[in-house]
Amino acid sequence: MTGPPKALKLEQSHGKGSVRVARVWRGSDGRHSFAEWSVSVSLISDCLSAYISGDNSSIVATDTMKNTVYVKAKECTEITSVEEFAIHLGRHFTSFYPQVTAAIIKIVEKPWERIHVDGLPHTHGFKLGSERHTTDITIYKHGGLRITSGIEGLALLKTTMSGFEGFVRDQYTILPETRERMLATEVTASWRYTFDSLSMIPGKPYCFTERYLNVKKVLVDTFFGPLKEGVYSPSVQNTLYLMAEAVLKRFSDVAFVQLKMPNIHFLPVNLSSKDNPSIVKFQDDVYLPTDQPHGTIEATISRPVSKM
Ligand SMILES: O=c1[nH]c(=O)c2[nH]c(=O)[nH]c2[nH]1
């Protein structure tokens, strides 16, 4: 194998982005299940000669990667989570091709939800929901694994029990302190599982989809608090921390949680004219919704490292 000329360092990967695939599972009872995925494959492989001398003999074509997504979807004869599909795909690339040392698979699932008619589930009807289940896994040739699951686009809003006080005030600060405001965000969450080899992946009945739903519930419940009284949020930062902490406390197989929670502002509306100083006076009732600019608040919260 030809190495790069001395003094040049080459790190590379190649793959296929956003391969869209949909899969129907037809149950023997007539009930259909359905998933739609956007799959991105990236391979780390020994194909330096392609970069350095134009020799493509060790390149797995990205077109072949795309075809493999459809072959592996066909092979999933039972309802499959994005995590299981990513592992299935990653295992193929790392075991089938000697030159592939690692496969990075990212999947976003479109939120199709079974439709209910008069409270009863339809056998084959689905509607599009909102937040998306994601996964990002890396599989190494010798069975090492990094597996992350996540949520994208989880829009949450509460109309009270939020404030922001005691922050730095300087010559540029005009924001008033408040104990009463709207709190709105669109959560992007990801959490890394502690399983660090393929052999550690639990068999059924462990189910990544069920774990995804439970993590989402813990995040949402912590954001809103109890049904009637709610929970006071002194800042997005504090609420974010409590949400991540609740996930880490509840699920011992989660190593760390990353949360991105933009502070989406609803601005108080006050309208006045020269003749009428109070056409609309804000009384925590009429707001101007905005999406830009918004605060960007992000953190990764992990367990303390043991000092053993
Ligand atoms: O919860 C908040 N955190 C901030 O950092 C911030 N900054 C700001 O202007 N409003 C808010 N709200």
Side-chain angles (χ1 to χ4, degrees), residues 163-164 175 181 183 233-237 263 265 297:
F164 190 54
L175 185 72
R181 68 173 184 173
L183 184 58
S233 164
S235 64
V236 175
Q237 284 87 336
N263 187 11
H265 306 301
I297 291 144

Side-chain angles (χ1 to χ4, degrees), residues 6-268:
K6 274 206 185 84
L8 294 183
K9 196 172 164 218
L10 171 61
E11 283 178 28
Q12 50 79 30
S13 65
H14 73 292
K16 198 69 133 189
S18 306
V19 180
R20 293 185 60 183
V21 57
R23 180 68 160 100
V24 176
W25 293 276
R26 292 163 191 258
S28 52
D29 55 356
R31 182 183 153 102
H32 292 187
S33 297
F34 177 70
E36 180 180 337
W37 298 322
S38 175
V39 181
S40 297
V41 176
S42 183
L43 300 184
I44 300 176
S45 66
D46 187 353
C47 59
L48 298 184
S49 52
Y51 289 86
I52 293 159
S53 57
D55 168 7
N56 293 343
S57 57
S58 51
I59 286 194
V60 180
T62 69
D63 190 65
T64 308
M65 298 180 204
K66 182 256 299 165
N67 297 344
T68 308
V69 170
Y70 297 105
V71 174
K72 296 294 150 186
K74 179 88 178 173
E75 284 172 10
C76 289
T77 51
E78 290 186 18
I79 301 173
T80 307
S81 64
V82 281
E83 292 86 352
E84 289 168 314
F85 187 66
I87 291 169
H88 188 51
L89 204 51
R91 280 182 101 132
H92 168 79
F93 289 119
T94 50
S95 60
F96 189 73
Y97 299 106
Q99 71 274 37
V100 172
T101 51
I104 300 159
I105 313 288
K106 299 181 186 187
I107 306 180
V108 180
E109 180 165 270
K110 214 159 171 173
W112 291 108
E113 296 166 355
R114 188 177 300 282
I115 206 114
H116 284 71
V117 179
D118 300 328
L120 294 172
H122 201 283
T123 54
H124 57 267
F126 299 84
K127 73 172 171 56
L128 202 56
S130 46
E131 65 276 3
R132 300 171 292 281
H133 181 175
T134 62
T135 194
D136 182 342
I137 71 152
T138 304
I139 293 191
Y140 298 92
K141 200 171 208 64
H142 299 295
L145 179 70
R146 281 201 332 216
I147 173 158
T148 300
S149 294
I151 301 174
E152 268 178 21
L154 177 64
L156 304 178
L157 176 153
K158 58 182 190 173
T159 51
T160 187
M161 294 299 274
S162 162
F164 190 54
E165 300 172 286
F167 48 90
V168 175
R169 297 211 79 85
D170 56 38
Q171 68 275 33
Y172 301 140
T173 308
I174 55 172
L175 185 72
E177 308 211 352
T178 184
R179 286 190 68 78
E180 180 59 55
R181 68 173 184 173
M182 191 94 99
L183 184 58
T185 189
E186 190 176 301
V187 180
T188 304
S190 61
W191 54 95
R192 166 90 73 83
Y193 289 100
T194 48
F195 319 131
D196 57 12
S197 70
L198 281 170
S199 58
M200 281 176 76
I201 295 291
K204 297 242 158 77
Y206 186 90
C207 172
F208 284 104
T209 302
E210 192 179 304
R211 171 53 51 89
Y212 162 80
L213 293 171
N214 289 335
V215 170
K216 182 163 67 172
K217 178 167 164 41
V218 168
L219 292 171
V220 169
D221 289 354
T222 311
F223 180 88
F224 291 115
L227 274 187
K228 288 222 169 95
E229 62 271 33
V231 62
Y232 182 73
S233 164
S235 64
V236 175
Q237 284 87 336
N238 181 246
T239 297
L240 178 155
Y241 181 79
L242 295 176
M243 288 163 71
E245 184 189 46
V247 171
L248 289 170
K249 274 195 177 145
R250 172 84 184 273
F251 304 107
S252 58
D253 54 12
V254 171
F256 66 78
V257 181
Q258 184 188 57
L259 286 175
K260 298 181 182 177
M261 291 179 44
N263 187 11
I264 298 174
H265 306 301
F266 282 74
L267 307 179

